[in-house]
Each structure stands twice: as structure tokens, then as C-alpha cells.
Amino acid sequence: DTAVSQTPKYLVTQMGNDKSIKCEQNLGHDTMYWYKQDSKKFLKIMFSYNNKELIINETVPNRFSPKSPDKAHLNLHINSLELGDSAVYFCASSQDLGGYTNYGYTFGSGTRLTVV
Amino acid sequence: KNEVEQSPQNLTAQEGEFITINCSYSVGISALHWLQQHPGGGIVSLFMLSSGKKKHGRLIATINIQEKHSSLHITASHPRDSAVYICAVPGSARQLTFGSGTQLTVLP
């Protein structure tokens, strides 16, 4: 069973389009995150949600809108895609806000977004 | 904001060698994470540690909270250990702040 699943794995789209990436975790974790990995492989937090409540919005353009219908899902919707949005997006989850109390973080397999 | 520095950025070793990757951070924390990113892109959490040392198979992670420093060691390295190793620390709202990663290549 996949613990944190993201779809799609690859996404190629044209500039200006709107797209969504879905994330689901079956671990019963309270907190979910979106991270962006740029072309230099550097990972950076975008959003975190704890029990469906937005905790962190880390200077992300408002074209990016996370949506958490329940604590097992955190989807990422991107409007008006730009070339600079091309990156790998990782969903992750942890139990407790900091991932201290259990085994740390569990990451999805990533979504490679290419904007052309 | 916590600054996380890793060294070296790239490391090439021969199979069987002992590997050390270092991580230092600027602001005191209560736990640190070591992650592994496979060549295929997936990220796996290796360790979360708040003090002392943890061991899992051939991997050993140590942390010195007072010196704000952690190391990841790999004993008897193997080509399948080739990956990017990333250390990360929780921020003020406990989101992870990542180091830039160490690309490890182990040659047969």
C-alpha cells in the first residue's frame, strides 16, 4: 500500500493553463505539506496543513492554491502556469506538526511539472 | 531563519569505503532529519534524531546539539548507496528547512 500517493507523476502543460496535483496519505497523519524542488535539486516548503487548517504559506505566488478537503488529502491547484513553475513538487505528511513523535516525514514520489 | 549547510556537495567513493557527510545549522533545534533521494527521485526519511546516535544497518547518524552539527556515516559503502543525502531541520512552524544535499556516488 502506498503511504503518500501523488498524481500525476508527470505533467507537461502549456503556459497559461491551470492544473492540479493530487495528494493522499493513508497513514492517519495530522499534517501534510507541499515542497518544491527546483532545477538545482533544492527543496523548499510551500504549504503545510494541520488537520485541514493552513499553517504555513511560504511566500508562494497566489496562483498556487492548496486545498485540503479532509486531513488525508492535500491538493495543489496552480493557475496561469508560468515557465518558472517547472519543478518537481513533493507532497509529504507527518504525525504531529513537526514529525517529532513518530518516524519523521513520509514523502510522495513527486510530480515533475514541465511548463512549455 | 535556520541556515543549513551540508558538506561535501559531491562525494565519490570506492565500494567498501567509510563515508561521512556533515551538516551544520545556525539555530538551535530539537530534532534533525536525514533523508535520502534515490536516483529515480523518491525521497525516503532515514533518521530523525534529537541527541546522540542512531544506527540502521550500515547507516549511522550522530548529532551534537550544542555544536549544532550532525553527521551521517555509511560503513562498507556499496554502489546501491549512490543517492543524494539531505539533512533537514524543523523551522519555527516546524516545516523542514533543507540543506543543499550531498550527491554520493559509490563506484564498484
Side-chain angles (χ1 to χ4, degrees):
Chain A
D1 283 344
T2 304
V4 179
S5 61
Q6 282 180 243
T7 53
K9 192 168 173 62
Y10 299 96
L11 185 52
V12 181
T13 188
Q14 290 189 323
M15 273 197 311
N17 283 351
D18 302 339
K19 290 293 178 186
S20 292
I21 306 172
K22 294 186 177 181
C23 179
E24 176 182 4
Q25 53 97 3
N26 62 6
L27 298 165
H29 285 173
D30 294 326
T31 309
M32 296 185 72
Y33 310 81
W34 277 109
Y35 290 95
K36 180 179 180 180
Q37 187 172 43
D38 61 23
S39 57
K40 295 183 180 177
K41 304 282 192 179
F42 189 69
L43 280 156
K44 193 171 179 183
I45 183 71
M46 298 176 70
F47 301 103
S48 78
Y49 269 73
N50 179 254
N51 278 317
K52 304 193 298 175
E53 182 183 343
L54 178 66
I55 302 298
I56 293 169
N57 178 344
E58 190 74 12
T59 60
V60 177
N62 58 15
R63 297 181 296 104
F64 290 77
S65 53
K67 291 210 173 16
S68 182
D70 55 60
K71 76 173 194 177
H73 295 83
L74 181 61
N75 304 321
L76 184 64
H77 189 76
I78 316 169
N79 289 328
S80 304
L81 277 154
E82 300 178 356
L83 292 176
D85 298 331
S86 295
V88 181
Y89 293 84
F90 284 95
C91 178
S93 71
S94 71
Q95 180 68 358
D96 189 62
L97 193 54
Y100 295 167
T101 58
N102 272 335
Y103 306 111
Y105 282 66
T106 303
F107 286 82
S109 57
T111 296
R112 182 174 294 277
L113 171 66
T114 304
V115 183
V116 296
Chain B
K1 186 178 175 181
N2 219 333
E3 302 292 332
V4 182
E5 305 228 350
Q6 268 186 252
S7 62
Q9 278 195 312
N10 293 283
L11 181 54
T12 300
Q14 290 295 133
E15 184 172 355
E17 284 186 7
F18 182 81
I19 304 290
T20 295
I21 299 170
N22 295 301
C23 177
S24 60
Y25 49 92
S26 57
V27 179
I29 57 168
S30 54
L32 178 142
H33 299 257
W34 279 102
L35 310 168
Q36 179 193 55
Q37 186 166 25
H38 303 145
I43 298 174
V44 174
S45 179
L46 297 175
F47 293 103
M48 178 187 66
L49 68 164
S50 54
S51 65
K53 180 165 88 172
K54 282 191 176 180
K55 186 174 189 288
H56 185 229
R58 293 179 295 105
L59 299 177
I60 303 166
T62 63
I63 190 168
N64 184 320
I65 294 289
Q66 287 75 28
E67 294 189 4
K68 300 187 180 65
H69 182 268
S70 178
S71 294
L72 178 67
H73 306 285
I74 306 175
T75 61
S77 59
H78 190 276
R80 65 175 174 264
D81 297 326
S82 298
V84 176
Y85 293 85
I86 305 167
C87 69
V89 301
S92 58
R94 303 185 185 175
Q95 76 283 15
L96 287 179
T97 298
F98 299 86
S100 55
T102 295
Q103 172 69 64
L104 172 65
T105 303
V106 182
L107 302 173

